[in-house]
Amino acid sequence: MTDTRQMTLEQLEEAIYSCTLCPLHQGRTKAVPGEGPLSADVMFIGEGPGFHEDRQGRPFVGAAGKFLEELLASIGLTREQVYIANVVKCRPPGNRDPLPNELSACEPYLERQIQLIKPKVIVTLGRFSMGRYFPGASISKIHGQPKRVGNYLVIPMFHPAAALHQPKWRPLVEADFKKLPHYIAEAGHFGDDAPPPQAQQLSLF
Ligand code: URA
């Protein structure tokens, strides 16, 4: 693989489509790089492609995606206005959890996507993207609570699929989403020369 750190978004997508860095490439129909405008203020990071995503090469196009679109609509946003990515770009067999070697093989792609998009706010959906920023945390304790990590305001949220399976979480997800416009407005953009990523608890909100 060429160095992802120099790649444009288009080059990154091409590299992901032809990636063979971990065994997940063997079972994929299509890799799913992610999608959305380079200028997006908000980036959602899910887990990995499921059946429909693998077929279509697009993130969040199944039932969880439909719910995500409803949640976005509830705050006046469409999926075309946000960037949607996953921690792994190829579908794990049977939708199993991604393995550590798969997560680490895919990490440079996500890292470069974040660098290029420079979102104001990163919303983690589910355990694996939450783990990048809140290692060891429990989603039921920290959901909806933003933390400044370097240049970004990171907000952990329940995965929409989890909320579909666990109806008791649905109102919590809906309430967390309702707070998002406020955080986007407050987050502001921080330049490339901001201090290195360092997790600190926000007292701002
Ligand atoms: N679940 C995810 O985490 N990502 C997708 O793209 C689809 C479902």
Side-chain angles (χ1 to χ4, degrees):
M1 179 173 59
T2 354
D3 192 348
T4 50
R5 288 171 301 177
Q6 305 301 325
M7 287 184 187
T8 64
L9 201 55
E10 292 72 25
Q11 289 168 335
L12 200 62
E13 287 170 3
E14 287 309 316
I16 292 168
Y17 289 133
S18 57
C19 180
T20 57
L21 286 178
C22 87
L24 290 183
H25 79 276
Q26 290 160 1
R28 76 177 171 226
T29 313
K30 288 183 177 166
V32 182
E35 63 184 26
L38 200 51
S39 60
D41 283 341
V42 189
M43 182 165 181
F44 290 88
I45 309 178
E47 188 170 316
F51 176 84
H52 297 285
E53 290 77 18
D54 171 73
R55 290 295 157 107
Q56 296 183 38
R58 298 183 58 211
F60 283 93
V61 289
K66 191 165 174 293
F67 185 36
L68 179 60
E69 287 177 25
E70 284 170 28
L71 290 164
L72 287 169
S74 77
I75 52 168
L77 289 176
T78 64
R79 64 180 288 149
E80 288 76 24
Q81 292 174 286
V82 301
Y83 197 88
I84 306 175
N86 283 306
V87 286
V88 292
K89 314 301 190 196
C90 296
R91 183 189 182 202
N95 297 347
R96 65 153 168 73
D97 289 348
L99 300 173
N101 63 315
E102 297 160 355
L103 290 164
S104 55
C106 234
E107 169 64 25
Y109 296 129
L110 180 60
E111 191 56 44
R112 182 66 181 150
Q113 283 174 313
I114 296 168
Q115 268 177 18
L116 286 164
I117 307 292
K118 294 189 176 61
K120 292 179 182 174
V121 172
I122 293 175
V123 178
T124 64
L125 300 173
R127 275 187 298 143
F128 291 94
S129 50
M130 179 178 74
R132 288 186 97 236
Y133 301 101
F134 304 87
S138 152
I139 185 67
S140 53
K141 295 216 177 73
I142 68 160
H143 69 90
Q145 296 170 37
K147 182 170 83 169
R148 172 72 59 196
V149 182
N151 295 341
Y152 309 104
L153 191 62
V154 184
I155 311 174
M157 292 200 194
F158 286 100
H159 194 289
L164 288 176
H165 291 129
Q166 286 279 346
K168 66 175 182 198
W169 287 341
R170 198 179 166 119
L172 302 179
V173 180
E174 290 167 350
D176 288 347
F177 254 78
K178 288 275 156 59
K179 294 187 267 176
L180 202 46
H182 168 72
Y183 292 136
I184 298 167
E186 296 292 319
H189 254 301
F190 289 77
D192 281 337
D193 50 356
Q198 190 179 37
Q200 40 184 257
Q201 203 61 46
L202 261 197
S203 54
L204 213 54
F205 303 110

